[in-house]
RNA sequence: GGGCCCGUAGCUCAACGGUCAGAGCGGGGCGCUCAUAACGCCUUGGCUGGGGGUUCGAAUCCCUCCGGGCCUACCA
């Protein structure tokens, strides 16, 4: 038994996430966590909401609510949706928690003590009308290169030219439209991560087993141009972790908070502390996951994230950890994902394009989405969601291959032997062959899950389901029963045990259906099939079962067309 | 502008520089009748984006062009 710490990139607070967000971190992290638990490992799976930053403040203002209230409400919404998708977090925390405030301030102080914090005075655009400093992209104006009227201060979306806010003609606030912008002097803390460049490079180049997506992005940031740049870690905002606090090694930082990307990854640690608090456990309970001097030496830490998050997890956060000089656990493996596109374009939270988590659950149960998303996870390149593909995949894999298998076996048994595992007969070469075939496939399935090869694992699981149908077709108990009832009974007994085996194996992907299968069999034995022949004999003669309802229904052409039309525009 | 990733069958994807480039879906045929008109078997289908090069051997390595995507440090 090993100990696994798993974190998913924490979803931003300003709204409900779409399926692309889900498949890019939380869902594959859940698959991995569920698999490792099934194998008997000790798992700590942490996620949270990322609640700070300008967009949260603006979203709250738009909703007409205090930002703290808005975040609390949206956290509750996201927590409910996570539960709806059966994301098995040990704790779903909040980056605004007291724990994260304390830890973020702790790390900042430690970094300062090691000479890794610089105070920098700089000029930034301020909008008196909005009462806030404006990030570059919140300043819009006419592009000096192409004349596009709504170019952003960081880049013109029309001609893709990189811009500075001062380049814009007739600049105005993207929030209020105000034009009375002024440049003000402000002072900020910078993380001197350039000083850690060599240590970071040594660490990253030693991670030879990471996906190329993870390492190539990190190396580019380390070596591009003048190399890794120092990074501002504070902002002039009100909602966040205060920079000025008792014991802070700097002065005059009132009214400033830490940058969201500084405090967000620290929430992985703080979220584990929140977990301990929620269970009334002492600090040692969470520190044994994070402090290598307090028991975390044998922990394997895996992070899941979309490719846009990679720089922060390979550079900024490790710089924080390394720079602290304290024995905090560094990540062992970073699994990063490309993007899921929607019907020829991108999913977009800001534009309301695509299918969002709440909408998806209103259409179909979580397992349908989990299966499609995981079996099509964008591991090597961006992947496209289309309704046709979704319909075909769900109907064929879930309804026909797995669901119908459960149905044909239980109904056949009910009609010929009654609703109990039949006695009599014994297996022969065909049954031994099936067990051997399944054993080989299960070992391959385990290998793919341990390597977090999500699509390959899904394909192998499907092949395992298919093997059941192949066996039934070859054994043909519906024919055998006419002349040799004992042999048919043995075949049926094996087939019923196959359902139990499939419930165990499928649970990481489709937890609800797995529970339904197991419940129908009146069984609670979720033991992982290390010994396949033994696993195929757990349900013994006389064990009663119930013929379940349709496990997965099919998506009709009418529904597909309806959904396609309904989700073709933007969310209102 | 710079960097990275991707381009393989109608579709979604596989293939440590090494048997004939493989699966699933779709198409065609056969079988079965227990089952959600479900299942199984067979079959169809590719100049691996174009062009050059390295090599005994290239989907794989190098160059170049074309197409798509992402990042480029103040959105997160």
């Amino acid at each position: 038994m090993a100990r696994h710490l798993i974190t998913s990139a924490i979803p931003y607070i300003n709204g409900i996430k779409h399926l692309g967000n889900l498949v890019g971190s939380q869902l594959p992290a859940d698959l991995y966590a569920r698999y490792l638990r099934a194998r008997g490992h000790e798992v700590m799976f942490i996620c949270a909401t990322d609640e700070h930053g300008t967009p949260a403040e603006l979203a709250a203002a738009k909703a007409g609510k205090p930002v703290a209230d808005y975040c609390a409400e949206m956290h509750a919404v996201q927590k409910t949706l996570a539960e709806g998708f059966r994301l098995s977090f040990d704790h779903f925390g909040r980056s605004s928690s007291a724990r994260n405030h304390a830890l973020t301030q702790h790390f900042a102080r430690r970094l300062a003590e090691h000479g890794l914090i610089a105070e920098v005075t700089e000029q930034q655009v301020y909008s008196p009308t909005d009462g806030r400093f404006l990030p570059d992209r919140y300043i819009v104006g006419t592009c000096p290169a192409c004349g596009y009227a709504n170019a952003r201060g960081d880049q013109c979306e029309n001609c893709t030219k990189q811009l500075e806010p001062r380049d814009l003609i007739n600049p105005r606030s993207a929030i209020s439209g105000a034009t009375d912008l002024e440049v003000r002097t402000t002072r900020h803390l910078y993380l001197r991560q350039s000083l850690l460049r060599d240590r970071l490079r040594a660490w990253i180049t030693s991670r030879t087993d990471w996906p190329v997506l993870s390492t190539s992005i990190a190396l580019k940031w380390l070596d591009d141009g003048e190399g890794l740049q120092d990074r501002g870690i504070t902002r002039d905002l009100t909602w966040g972790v205060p920079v000025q606090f008792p014991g802070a090694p700097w002065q005059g930082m009132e009214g400033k908070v830490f940058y969201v990307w500084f405090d967000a990854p620290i929430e992985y640690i703080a979220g584990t502390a929140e977990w301990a608090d929620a269970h009334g456990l002492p600090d040692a309970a969470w520190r044994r996951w994070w402090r290598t001097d307090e028991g975390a030496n044998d922990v394997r830490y895996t992070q899941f994230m979309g490719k846009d998050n990679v720089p922060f997890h390979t550079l900024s956060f490790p710089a924080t950890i390394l720079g602290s000089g304290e024995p905090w656990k560094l990540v062992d493996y970073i699994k990063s994902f490309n993007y899921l596109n929607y019907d020829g374009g991108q999913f977009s939270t800001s534009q309301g394009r695509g299918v969002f988590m709440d909408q998806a659950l209103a259409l179909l149960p979580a397992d349908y989405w989990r299966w499609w998303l995981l079996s099509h996870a964008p591991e090597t390149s961006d992947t496209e969601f289309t309704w046709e593909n979704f319909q075909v995949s769900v109907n064929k894999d879930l309804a026909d291959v797995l669901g119908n298998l459960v149905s044909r076996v239980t109904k056949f048994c009910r009609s010929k032997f009654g609703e109990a595992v039949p006695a009599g007969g014994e297996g022969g070469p065909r049954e031994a062959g099936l067990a051997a075939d399944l054993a080989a496939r299960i070992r391959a399935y385990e290998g793919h899950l341990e390597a977090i090869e999500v699509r390959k694992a899904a394909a192998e699981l499907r092949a395992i389901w298919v093997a059941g149908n192949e066996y039934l077709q070859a054994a043909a108990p519906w024919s055998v029963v006419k002349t040799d009832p004992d042999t048919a009974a043995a075949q049926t007994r094996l087939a019923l045990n196959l359902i139990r085996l499939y419930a165990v194996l499928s649970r990481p992907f489709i937890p609800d259906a797995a529970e339904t299968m197991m419940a129908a069999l009146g069984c609670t034995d979720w033991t992982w099939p290390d010994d396949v022949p033994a696993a195929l004999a757990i349900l013994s003669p006389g064990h009663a079962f119930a013929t379940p309802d349709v496990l997965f229904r099919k998506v009709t052409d009418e529904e597909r067309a309806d959904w396609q039309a309904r989700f073709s525009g933007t969310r209102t």
Side-chain angles (χ1 to χ4, degrees):
Chain A
M1 181 170 118
R3 298 175 62 211
H4 286 268
L5 175 61
I6 301 170
T7 61
S8 160
I10 64 178
Y12 199 66
I13 193 71
N14 69 337
I16 291 165
K17 302 297 106 175
H18 53 64
L19 297 182
N21 297 128
L22 184 62
V23 74
S25 56
Q26 290 162 289
L27 193 51
D30 180 69
L31 174 75
Y32 191 51
R34 285 176 175 275
Y35 168 71
L36 292 173
R37 289 193 197 104
R39 298 306 308 275
H41 299 305
E42 188 180 358
V43 171
M44 179 59 66
F45 179 24
I46 296 294
C47 194
T49 40
D50 179 13
E51 305 192 359
H52 299 141
T54 304
E57 294 193 355
L58 296 179
K62 192 176 176 186
K65 292 173 180 168
V67 64
D69 294 357
Y70 172 81
C71 288
E73 286 174 22
M74 287 310 301
H75 173 81
V77 169
Q78 293 208 21
K79 185 172 164 56
T80 300
L81 287 171
E83 287 163 0
F85 274 94
R86 304 296 182 255
L87 301 175
S88 60
F89 307 132
D90 288 290
H91 190 74
F92 187 62
R94 302 182 61 184
S95 69
S96 61
S97 68
R99 282 290 195 177
N100 199 36
H101 278 235
L103 270 168
T104 297
Q105 290 169 345
H106 168 83
F107 274 106
R109 187 169 55 231
R110 292 291 302 184
L111 289 165
E113 286 166 9
H114 286 83
L116 292 169
I117 297 290
E119 297 187 35
V120 175
T121 299
E122 54 194 15
Q123 308 281 309
Q124 285 190 2
V125 174
Y126 185 83
S127 168
T129 302
D130 296 301
R132 63 171 65 242
F133 283 93
L134 296 179
D136 289 356
R137 69 170 46 200
Y138 284 99
I139 304 162
V140 296
T142 301
C143 174
C146 72
Y148 178 62
N150 292 308
R152 292 192 320 208
D154 56 343
Q155 184 174 40
C156 174
E157 289 179 330
N158 187 50
C159 68
T160 73
K161 183 179 170 58
Q162 303 270 315
L163 300 173
E164 295 287 328
R166 62 174 163 274
D167 297 333
L168 294 172
I169 300 164
N170 299 324
R172 63 185 189 279
S173 163
I175 302 164
S176 61
T179 55
D180 57 335
L181 306 180
E182 51 191 68
V183 174
R184 288 191 181 180
T185 298
T186 183
R187 205 156 55 91
H188 282 294
L189 302 184
Y190 270 63
L191 173 60
R192 301 175 72 188
Q193 53 187 14
S194 59
L195 296 176
L196 295 163
R197 186 181 172 199
D198 291 340
R199 287 179 70 187
L200 288 168
R201 192 209 318 283
W203 173 63
I204 285 163
T205 51
S206 72
R207 310 287 97 174
T208 52
D209 60 335
W210 286 8
V212 63
L213 191 61
S214 301
T215 47
S216 66
I217 292 173
L219 290 171
K220 140 84 169 155
W221 279 54
L222 278 171
D223 298 325
D224 189 46
E226 294 164 24
L228 186 62
Q229 300 296 297
D230 294 340
R231 189 159 189 135
I233 57 165
T234 59
R235 294 290 184 274
D236 289 291
L237 295 172
T238 54
W239 173 242
V241 179
V243 180
Q244 197 64 59
F245 55 90
W250 42 75
Q251 294 300 317
M253 289 288 172
E254 289 80 8
K256 297 176 193 293
V257 300
F258 285 101
Y259 176 41
V260 56
W261 262 117
F262 184 71
D263 77 61
I266 295 172
E267 169 62 16
Y268 296 146
I269 305 174
T272 315
E274 290 174 57
W275 161 83
D277 294 342
H279 291 79
L281 297 168
D283 282 347
W286 68 265
R287 291 174 76 91
R288 67 189 278 274
W289 289 100
W290 282 102
R291 292 285 296 220
T292 56
D293 59 337
E294 297 179 44
N297 249 330
D298 64 340
V299 169
R300 179 169 170 83
Y301 177 21
T302 306
Q303 292 177 341
F304 290 78
M305 69 198 67
K307 58 184 166 184
D308 53 331
N309 278 329
V310 170
F312 303 100
H313 289 80
T314 52
L315 301 169
S316 314
F317 186 44
T320 300
I321 297 282
L322 291 171
S324 75
E326 296 176 331
W328 298 97
K329 178 74 190 165
L330 268 178
V331 65
D332 292 301
Y333 190 80
I334 293 182
K335 177 71 177 182
S336 48
F337 290 85
N338 287 284
Y339 289 149
L340 181 67
N341 290 321
Y342 178 75
D343 236 354
Q346 292 190 346
F347 276 90
S348 169
T349 302
S350 59
Q351 293 171 31
R353 184 165 195 282
V355 185
F356 291 74
M357 286 172 71
D358 56 337
Q359 299 169 327
L361 287 180
L363 299 182
L364 288 169
D367 283 347
Y368 292 67
W369 300 103
R370 288 178 63 104
W371 174 254
W372 190 88
L373 290 167
L374 289 169
S375 62
H376 293 79
E379 290 176 296
T380 53
S381 64
D382 291 354
T383 301
E384 173 111 343
F385 174 91
T386 65
W387 288 102
E388 290 86 351
N389 190 309
F390 177 73
Q391 179 194 21
V392 165
S393 208
V394 162
N395 288 356
K396 190 73 190 174
D397 299 347
L398 296 181
D400 293 347
V401 175
L402 178 62
N404 181 57
L405 176 73
V406 172
S407 181
R408 68 194 296 201
V409 168
T410 51
K411 286 181 179 170
F412 175 76
C413 186
R414 181 175 62 182
S415 75
K416 301 300 178 192
F417 302 101
E419 286 188 300
V421 178
E426 56 186 29
R430 181 180 287 121
E431 286 68 30
L434 172 66
D437 179 36
L438 285 174
R441 291 196 176 282
I442 290 166
R443 298 294 94 83
Y445 179 58
E446 292 165 355
H448 291 139
L449 283 170
E450 269 147 35
I452 322 179
E453 296 267 15
V454 178
R455 279 189 316 225
K456 287 180 182 172
E460 196 61 54
L461 179 59
R462 188 188 189 282
I464 287 169
W465 296 339
V466 167
N469 281 314
E470 288 171 347
Y471 168 74
L472 275 187
Q473 197 65 34
W478 51 87
S479 298
V480 175
V481 73
K482 294 169 187 166
T483 56
D484 183 358
D486 269 0
T487 297
Q491 292 168 337
T492 305
R493 189 162 65 243
L494 176 65
L496 286 165
N497 271 288
L498 274 179
I499 295 174
R500 196 204 67 85
L501 177 67
Y502 290 175
V504 174
L505 295 172
S506 306
R507 182 141 84 149
F509 278 89
I510 45 173
D512 286 347
E515 304 260 358
T516 301
M517 290 160 70
M518 200 60 105
L521 294 174
C523 181
T524 55
D525 186 345
W526 291 94
T527 309
W528 191 263
D530 292 313
D531 179 341
V532 173
L536 289 174
I538 285 177
L539 297 178
S540 49
H543 181 95
F545 69 90
T547 303
D549 294 331
V550 167
L551 197 58
F552 293 101
R553 73 173 184 83
K554 294 198 182 193
V555 174
T556 65
D557 290 344
E558 291 71 32
E559 283 175 317
R560 192 211 67 225
D562 175 38
W563 297 341
Q564 204 158 21
R566 184 134 52 105
F567 294 96
S568 63
T570 57
R571 180 175 193 156
T572 51

